[in-house]
Amino acid sequence: MPKKNGFFYFMLEYKNRHEAAGYAVSKLDQITPLAGKIWEKMDAKQREPYIQKAKSAQNEGGLDKLNSLGMAISEVDKKLRSKEDHTQMIKRLVAERVANADSRKELDTEVMYIISMAYFGRTIKGTYIPAELGVVKYSLRCGVMDRMHLYINPGEIPLGAALSTQQHTAETHKLPLPPNAWGSTDMNEVAVKLISFLAADDEIPPLFTDETTLPITESMLQELLSGRIEGKTLYVCPLSELFFYLKQATERHVMETPTFPSARMAQHILMMDCYGFTVGISCDYHDTERNPINCALSQATRWAYTISKHCCLHMGIECVQGKHIPCDRSADDDGVKPATSGSYMLSKLKRLDDSHAGARSAIQKPIANSSNSKGTLSGSLDKPTSTPHIPYVDINLNTYQFPEPDQSQDDAFPSLLQSMGRGHSQRRGGNLSRGGRGARGRAFNLQQRGN
């Protein structure tokens, strides 16, 4: 740990200036040589402010211990405690919101805003570059009431963020990269549209998003809305908490004790994303590219559908297609896209099955017509309707003339026939032409019996 003298405080200031300029400094040792050269050239007047800081710290009993980044450990602990307090406060806020709506008998009409944001990449400062925004206005009674979708063009990619931007974009939403990105480059315009959609004249309603990406979404929203929501508090809340309390509250309408265990279970259900490949609810680009799972608008809508699926039944609310659950868009000749991955695969299999209908008919027809007996083979290859009968079961073996076999069939596998002939001759003293199982063998056996 470096000595807390005037040079130490100069290094801290030097480190802060470098980080503000976009350079990452993980340890003070990295900047000690550069800061030392500057310190040596400074006169007494320039060094005086830093020396006074060191004396003041000594008079106050010294500063707290610092970590490897030069940050006071007490300050870090304070921030962590503050973050934990904030998290608990948000959870209480969600629980109280649901409880109050339920007590007013307005749980089914309570309006909630679900938001999802996609980003291009991460800068060396740790900030995220927004790319796409999707917001859904939702209630249990009405389902998805309204939706808003925006592309965001951040302009040039910040220095040092090109690689992360290319990799993350290629692995997820695949939108055009800046500076050719779609959408508005005016962040004030984006903020105004969002605030207008949220009807946030007096206050901004809580926004619910995935717990795992909440810090990322919150940081991008703070950046977008900074300076435009003065005097208003932005609450970005975990959707899993809302889902959990809604599920428990709706269960109480049909049972005395709710069975839904925890917000952890709610998060697990949301991550399963049962409507992940639903088409028709994405933006035009992601629908065309068959990449709905990475569309921000689709993601927010799918979260709303998931909540409806698990909560509306307890409230006696019928799930309406397109509002509470996806529309049934089974594929047809008009090219209508299916609603879910499951229905899409079933429709693909149906088309594949239909394409082979001619081949199946060609196989089934000779089989069904080849029997001269009272029983016939089933006309379906999928599920026989009766026990198959051997075609020659009613043949009079004393009068029937067996046709000569096709020589080409015997020549098709000469080595196999020869090997089988050798095996039979060694064990039974015969060969295929005399003791085989084919038509020729049966003819020979009949001749021997007649003799």
Side-chain angles (χ1 to χ4, degrees):
M1 180 66 64
K3 186 177 180 180
K4 300 181 186 65
N5 52 19
F7 176 64
F8 172 78
Y9 292 99
F10 173 74
M11 280 198 301
L12 290 181
E13 183 179 294
Y14 186 81
K15 169 181 172 292
N16 293 334
R17 288 203 304 266
H18 266 61
E19 289 180 338
Y23 297 96
V25 180
S26 59
K27 295 182 180 181
L28 287 175
D29 294 343
Q30 295 177 339
I31 62 171
T32 299
L34 297 176
K37 292 181 180 180
I38 299 175
W39 180 261
E40 291 175 357
K41 297 179 181 179
M42 294 170 62
D43 56 28
K45 185 176 180 180
Q46 293 172 321
R47 294 180 180 181
E48 183 64 23
Y50 306 104
I51 296 175
Q52 289 299 326
K53 286 184 180 180
K55 290 181 179 179
S56 298
Q58 292 176 359
N59 293 335
E60 294 174 1
L63 290 177
D64 294 332
K65 293 183 178 180
L66 304 180
N67 59 19
S68 60
L69 298 178
M71 300 173 62
I73 294 178
S74 62
E75 288 297 319
V76 174
D77 291 339
K78 182 179 179 180
K79 289 181 179 179
L80 291 175
R81 287 195 299 271
S82 176
K83 183 178 180 180
E84 179 65 22
D85 292 341
H86 177 76
T87 301
Q88 295 300 323
M89 183 268 293
I90 290 294
K91 291 182 178 180
R92 289 195 300 270
L93 175 68
V94 176
E96 291 173 2
R97 180 185 179 92
V98 174
N100 291 337
D102 196 21
S103 64
R104 300 192 310 267
K105 309 297 183 183
E106 297 176 355
L107 183 62
D108 58 336
T109 59
E110 182 76 4
V111 175
M112 294 155 278
Y113 291 92
I114 302 173
I115 186 169
S116 176
M117 293 187 70
Y119 62 94
F120 286 111
R122 183 181 179 183
T123 67
I124 58 177
K125 294 181 180 180
T127 60
Y128 292 86
I129 309 169
E132 186 184 21
L133 182 150
V135 190
V136 168
K137 183 180 180 181
Y138 172 81
S139 73
L140 291 175
R141 174 63 60 184
C142 300
V144 176
M145 305 166 64
D146 198 4
R147 305 195 304 166
M148 186 191 74
H149 175 258
L150 292 174
Y151 296 116
I152 302 174
N153 187 349
E156 297 291 337
I157 299 176
L159 182 66
L163 180 60
S164 70
T165 297
Q166 293 174 2
Q167 289 178 343
H168 180 75
T169 300
E171 293 170 358
T172 55
H173 51 77
K174 297 181 174 60
L175 289 168
L177 292 171
N180 301 316
W182 297 334
S184 175
T185 57
D186 185 354
M187 297 301 105
N188 184 65
E189 179 183 350
V190 175
V192 169
K193 289 182 178 179
L194 177 59
I195 293 173
S196 176
F197 180 81
L198 299 175
D201 295 332
D202 298 327
E203 62 180 9
I204 299 178
L207 301 176
F208 298 93
T209 192
D210 177 45
E211 183 178 3
T212 59
T213 58
L214 190 150
I216 299 174
T217 301
E218 185 176 25
S219 65
M220 288 190 290
L221 286 173
Q222 291 283 7
E223 184 68 21
L224 284 173
L225 300 176
S226 61
R228 302 173 182 89
I229 55 171
E230 295 181 1
K232 302 176 183 178
T233 305
L234 176 64
Y235 293 107
V236 183
C237 311
L239 184 64
S240 57
E241 293 290 328
L242 175 66
F243 184 11
F244 166 60
Y245 288 113
L246 281 176
K247 179 66 173 175
Q248 284 210 331
T250 55
E251 282 186 344
R252 290 191 185 95
H253 284 247
V254 294
M255 60 184 73
E256 293 183 0
T257 304
T259 61
F260 201 67
S262 64
R264 185 186 296 270
M265 175 61 72
Q267 177 64 22
H268 175 71
I269 294 174
L270 292 170
M271 291 180 66
M272 287 175 63
D273 202 359
C274 62
Y275 301 118
F277 291 92
T278 301
V279 299
I281 60 174
S282 312
C283 66
D284 292 340
Y285 171 75
H286 286 115
D287 243 359
T288 303
E289 295 296 318
R290 292 297 182 96
N291 187 19
I293 197 169
N294 289 304
C295 174
L297 181 63
S298 173
Q299 180 66 88
T301 307
R302 297 192 317 262
W303 286 333
Y305 286 165
T306 301
I307 292 176
S308 296
K309 176 184 177 182
H310 289 83
C311 297
C312 286
L313 179 63
H314 304 308
M315 299 288 292
I317 300 173
E318 181 181 357
C319 288
V320 179
Q321 292 186 10
K323 293 293 186 179
H324 299 92
I325 55 176
C327 293
D328 184 8
R329 296 171 179 242
S330 300
D332 55 19
D333 294 337
D334 295 330
V336 178
K337 298 174 183 177
T340 64
S341 57
S343 63
Y344 174 67
M345 291 306 297
L346 288 175
S347 63
K348 292 283 284 184
L349 291 173
K350 181 179 182 299
R351 291 198 297 271
L352 181 63
D353 185 66
D354 292 341
S355 67
H356 292 293
R360 182 183 291 108
S361 298
I363 294 173
Q364 294 169 359
K365 186 175 181 180
I367 293 177
N369 296 335
S370 63
S371 175
N372 295 325
S373 64
K374 298 177 181 178
T376 59
L377 291 177
S378 169
S380 171
L381 295 180
D382 300 324
K383 186 176 180 181
T385 57
S386 61
T387 304
H389 293 264
I390 301 174
Y392 52 81
V393 68
D394 289 340
I395 294 177
N396 189 335
L397 299 179
N398 294 322
T399 60
Y400 184 77
Q401 297 295 323
F402 288 93
E404 288 296 324
D406 186 0
Q407 185 63 31
S408 62
Q409 297 298 323
D410 290 342
D411 296 339
F413 305 96
S415 59
L416 177 61
L417 293 174
Q418 292 168 9
S419 62
M420 291 175 65
R422 288 195 299 270
H424 279 280
S425 62
Q426 291 172 2
R427 292 192 301 269
R428 305 169 68 176
N431 53 39
L432 282 178
S433 63
R434 299 183 59 186
R437 298 182 180 178
R440 184 181 301 176
R442 290 196 297 272
F444 175 81
N445 293 335
L446 288 175
Q447 182 180 0
Q448 293 297 320
R449 293 173 186 172
N451 295 336

